[in-house]
Amino acid sequence: MASATQAAGFATALGERLRGTAIGPGDDGFDEARSVHNGMIDKHPALIAQCMDAGDVSQAVSFARDEGLDVAIRCGAHNAAGFSSVDDGLVIDLRPIRYTQVDADARIARVGGGSTLGDVDHATHAFGLATPSGTFSTTGVGGLTLGGGIGHLTRAYGLSIDNLLGADVVLADGSIVRADEKNEPDLFWALRGGGGNFGVVTEFRFQLQPVASVFGGPMLWELDDTETIARLYRDWLPSQPDGVSAFFAMLTVPPVDPFPEELRLHKVAGLIWCNTCSEEESNAALDTFRAAAAPALDGVGEVPYPGLQSAFDPLIPFGTHIYWRAHFIEDMEDGAIAEYNRFAESAPTWVSQTHIYPLGGAAGRVGNSDTAWGWRDAGYAQVFVAIDHEAGNDDALREWAVDYSDAIKPYAMEGAYTNFIMDEGRDRARACYRGNYDRLQQIKAKYDPDNLFHVNQNIQPAS
């Protein structure tokens, strides 16, 4: 472990090589800079490099390699496992590299590696455009994209990686390369689902889609209707046009406006809609579920896409205690659906919930080996999220998420979405990369043979 004197020396030495700033444990702002979104995580790096550009990142990577320091990459710091920080190592903080430049004619956005989804939405929405991302605007673009990028627009326009045109990457030797279909094509393939294993992305280039407003929001039912709605959703959605989409959720109605007082803290089944189709097509879809069972709350309407993307941010503010587990599932089998109400009732806090994200439509028409994300045949990605706004309940959160995950495991595929799991060991990480793992190992050996970038769902270099 680095002493205070050694850490200060690191910060001074690296700071002399940066346009940005290097700070250590004794410097102002260090505790804020080392904190991450998940309040369960409390790591203490030896220093933090607040990088202004790709040159700074190159210097930081080279410094870490030469000094034998573990490296973590920080953008939005949403990774629940805490991979955006590291004990006694170097955190490369990309937040100063925060920009979105839109070429509306070409429908392309250049996005700095430290940007959040909200940053991108803000810039692109002015042109009536968007790129598929996640479901919380405070999430970092980098971690979400490199893991695949599941969200509201997945059925309509694919995963984030399906809209990734290229990236600028700082490699483990400090060199900077451009990766796309023509330049470093193996690296570009690996970046699309292989996580942060291959380098530090300082700029992403995304294809933009014509999305301004959507027909979105929550539609909620009492628990007595869970099986009716879940089965209808399972059987009905796969045959719908790409522009019709919703994710299924089991949750508790938040005790805040705009939710009516008589529903607050009720356990409910829900669909969170994001339809990019015509109003007529959207209403037909919504009416299908309204006819199946009368909703307790019908909050779907036309909203600006950034409004839907940021609507749930207040439920999980920075510092919230979070424990995740997850599966990919081919289908929502009846046996699994039967567990939903049981775990909704036993949730340790009102904020704890499960989401089931559809993976069909545009995302499902890509081949399993076309990108490193090898789950195109999965029907859904399910996540079990145990959440508390206060400290002291971590054991109960962990127990509920694990038990829920174990109950659904007999109905699940072998792996899970890497952005939805904790640090669950090498075997679990390997399963998440599925049939693409061996090729990823070969690419890892080429671009990071010494596994400098291992603070992640790690891919071991081929020997």
Side-chain angles (χ1 to χ4, degrees):
M1 182 174 181
S3 67
T5 300
Q6 188 178 24
F10 283 153
T12 299
L14 180 56
E16 291 174 352
R17 297 163 61 172
L18 302 181
R19 290 184 63 215
T21 304
I23 58 175
D27 294 320
D28 290 343
F30 183 80
D31 282 339
E32 183 278 329
R34 73 176 179 85
S35 63
V36 297
H37 194 271
N38 185 357
M40 282 191 183
I41 307 298
D42 185 26
K43 295 184 179 181
H44 296 264
L47 76 163
I48 298 171
Q50 297 172 321
C51 297
M52 296 291 294
D53 53 26
D56 275 1
V57 174
S58 174
Q59 292 291 338
V61 167
S62 297
F63 184 87
R65 186 189 63 246
D66 294 344
E67 296 293 339
L69 295 171
D70 289 340
V71 176
I73 313 303
R74 181 201 171 107
C75 313
H78 266 250
N79 184 275
F83 290 141
S84 52
S85 189
V86 60
D87 284 321
D88 209 35
L90 169 64
V91 172
I92 296 178
D93 189 345
L94 300 180
R95 285 179 294 174
I97 310 176
R98 189 171 181 174
Y99 60 83
T100 301
Q101 298 173 357
V102 178
D103 181 338
D105 293 333
R107 296 202 321 206
I108 293 173
R110 297 177 56 224
V111 178
S115 303
T116 65
L117 307 188
D119 295 332
V120 178
D121 291 339
H122 175 78
T124 59
H125 183 67
F127 298 94
L129 300 169
T131 196
S133 54
T135 57
F136 285 85
S137 73
T138 55
T139 305
V141 169
L144 178 107
T145 300
L146 296 175
I150 296 170
H152 288 303
L153 297 178
T154 296
R155 290 196 85 248
Y157 296 112
L159 304 174
S160 297
I161 56 173
D162 299 333
N163 294 268
L164 182 63
L165 301 175
D168 293 345
V169 189
V170 178
L171 302 178
D173 63 2
S175 63
I176 304 171
V177 299
R178 173 158 290 193
D180 52 36
E181 293 286 3
K182 293 183 178 179
N183 305 288
E184 310 289 346
D186 283 346
L187 177 60
F188 184 54
W189 179 88
L191 293 175
R192 288 174 290 168
N197 277 282
F198 306 95
V200 185
V201 177
T202 57
E203 180 177 285
F204 297 88
R205 288 174 289 281
F206 291 105
Q207 185 70 63
L208 300 177
Q209 305 295 344
V211 178
S213 293
V214 298
F215 299 97
M219 190 177 284
L220 308 178
W221 289 265
E222 300 285 0
L223 292 186
D224 288 347
D225 295 318
T226 297
E227 291 192 10
T228 298
I229 297 304
R231 289 173 177 166
L232 175 59
Y233 174 80
R234 172 195 68 191
D235 297 338
W236 172 88
L237 185 62
S239 65
Q240 299 306 302
D242 295 355
V244 175
S245 186
F247 71 83
F248 183 89
M250 299 296 299
L251 67 153
T252 304
V253 179
V256 295
D257 290 335
F259 298 98
E261 288 192 20
E262 63 272 18
L263 281 182
R264 293 178 186 179
L265 297 180
H266 279 221
K267 311 287 188 181
V268 294
L271 293 176
I272 314 303
W273 293 90
C274 180
N275 294 333
T276 56
C277 55
S278 69
E279 183 174 8
E280 181 180 9
E281 289 177 302
S282 178
N283 284 335
L286 300 174
D287 287 345
T288 298
F289 287 85
R290 291 167 178 149
L297 175 72
D298 192 339
V300 184
E302 186 172 5
V303 294
Y305 175 68
L308 179 64
Q309 182 84 316
S310 61
F312 305 107
D313 292 355
L315 296 181
I316 310 182
F318 198 93
T320 299
H321 285 233
I322 306 171
Y323 192 88
W324 309 64
R325 283 293 172 100
H327 296 301
F328 284 115
I329 53 177
E330 282 188 273
D331 208 351
M332 296 166 62
E333 296 188 28
D334 287 348
I337 292 171
E339 298 286 356
Y340 295 168
N341 283 0
R342 180 164 74 93
F343 281 94
E345 294 282 14
S346 66
T349 63
W350 72 264
V351 208
S352 299
Q353 53 200 272
T354 189
H355 295 173
I356 300 175
Y357 293 91
L359 299 175
R365 291 193 291 273
V366 179
N368 275 346
S369 61
D370 290 349
T371 65
W373 202 86
W375 296 97
R376 305 298 181 155
D377 55 335
Y380 308 89
Q382 184 167 10
V383 61
F384 316 94
V385 194
I387 303 167
D388 200 339
H389 294 141
E390 305 294 335
N393 203 24
D394 290 357
D395 289 344
L397 299 182
R398 186 178 297 107
E399 181 180 2
W400 181 80
V402 170
D403 287 350
Y404 203 161
S405 173
D406 287 349
I408 302 300
K409 188 174 182 179
Y411 312 101
M413 304 170 84
E414 183 181 358
Y417 180 36
T418 56
N419 288 349
F420 280 169
I421 66 172
M422 305 300 287
D423 187 0
E424 299 174 28
R426 183 178 298 181
D427 289 345
R428 182 62 165 164
R430 179 171 187 144
C432 290
Y433 298 114
R434 208 181 185 193
N436 291 325
Y437 188 79
D438 289 347
R439 183 180 175 188
L440 287 165
Q441 282 191 293
Q442 296 294 329
I443 297 171
K444 177 78 167 178
K446 177 181 177 180
Y447 289 97
D448 184 16
D450 298 321
N451 204 12
L452 177 68
F453 301 115
H454 64 267
V455 182
N456 46 42
Q457 303 293 356
N458 194 232
I459 295 165
Q460 301 292 307
S463 57

